[in-house]
Amino acid sequence: TAADRRVPPVVVIMDTPAAHGVYERSTRDKSGTNADDLNEVLRDLPIVIHKETIGATWDREDQILKQGARLILIHRSAFFHSMNQELGFGYPGDSANFDEARFRQLYEIADNKLVALLGFIGQQSPSTVFLVYSRGTGGGWSDDQYRADWVRALAGRFPSLKGRVTTINVPGGPDGGSFDDEGTRQMFLQQVQTL
């Protein structure tokens, strides 16, 4: 059915309710996720949207596979924010006890979990493509070359993902990136329509 244009493709939007990872204050206040905001951005497209809330101990890979997604749209830091909230490591400038080494180690673990998820789903579902987005946290995400290197390393580890992963840098940076921005909305709409 994925090749049948009469059947709306399934898009799975994955993110965390961990407050530090949710872009919009109004969404945080309702304990929502970025997936809720992206659902609003994409709701007029001829697609079927499933939202998946990620937590620190999330393990619903089989359920995601059963949804038969054409596209998985996932926040790059979703696992990190969930794990950090649960472990209480904090963020730079938030605490006098902040430990940058532990913070960076946790980010590497969370990023590895994301990569493993994409690799697993990519190997099990050859028709699924991936769109990974972030506001520029986690190293150098705002840099085009950084993102290209990240995708290249991902495909090096999981060759089945070659040509199937697209990245978006949400404009505005960690403090200003927003789904309320019309340019950001159009960027997501265009990317989803082309995938």
Side-chain angles (χ1 to χ4, degrees):
T1 59
D4 187 342
R5 298 310 256 172
R6 296 171 296 174
V7 177
V10 173
V11 174
V12 177
I13 309 173
M14 303 176 74
D15 211 339
T16 176
H20 212 282
V22 179
Y23 294 2
E24 309 304 331
R25 174 181 237 82
S26 60
T27 305
R28 281 193 303 272
D29 290 347
K30 293 182 270 186
S31 299
T33 73
N34 292 330
D36 297 317
D37 293 316
L38 283 168
N39 181 59
E40 285 302 307
V41 170
L42 304 175
R43 68 184 162 98
D44 292 331
L45 295 180
I47 59 177
V48 174
I49 297 174
H50 294 283
K51 295 184 289 183
E52 183 73 26
T53 302
I54 295 173
T57 58
W58 183 89
D59 63 351
R60 292 177 35 85
E61 295 87 349
D62 288 336
Q63 288 83 353
I64 294 295
L65 286 171
K66 289 176 185 172
Q67 292 175 3
R70 168 71 182 121
L71 168 66
I72 292 179
L73 202 164
I74 187 166
H75 183 195
R76 187 205 180 187
S77 302
F79 285 116
F80 171 71
H81 291 305
S82 295
M83 294 164 69
N84 194 5
Q85 181 171 291
E86 188 166 300
L87 295 171
F89 282 11
Y91 292 86
D94 285 355
S95 167
N97 299 328
F98 175 73
D99 183 335
E100 186 161 347
R102 285 191 340 164
F103 182 84
R104 292 193 181 282
Q105 182 181 31
L106 181 62
Y107 201 94
E108 287 178 27
I109 292 167
D111 194 54
N112 189 54
K113 187 170 183 167
L114 170 65
V115 168
L117 171 67
L118 299 183
F120 175 77
I121 293 175
Q123 288 176 339
Q124 300 297 315
S125 179
S127 62
T128 301
V129 295
F130 304 89
L131 184 56
V132 182
Y133 71 93
S134 179
R135 293 189 295 187
T137 54
W141 192 259
S142 60
D143 179 63
D144 293 341
Q145 187 61 53
Y146 178 93
R147 292 192 319 278
D149 291 343
W150 186 82
V151 170
R152 198 169 11 265
L154 180 65
R157 184 168 167 193
F158 296 101
S160 64
L161 292 178
K162 186 173 183 179
R164 297 169 56 193
V165 180
T166 302
T167 61
I168 286 183
N169 175 55
V170 177
D175 297 322
S178 171
F179 297 118
D180 290 338
D181 176 76
E182 187 57 32
T184 298
R185 296 171 73 84
Q186 289 303 315
M187 182 171 51
F188 274 93
L189 281 167
Q190 289 171 353
Q191 288 290 335
V192 171
Q193 287 174 311
T194 60
L195 297 173

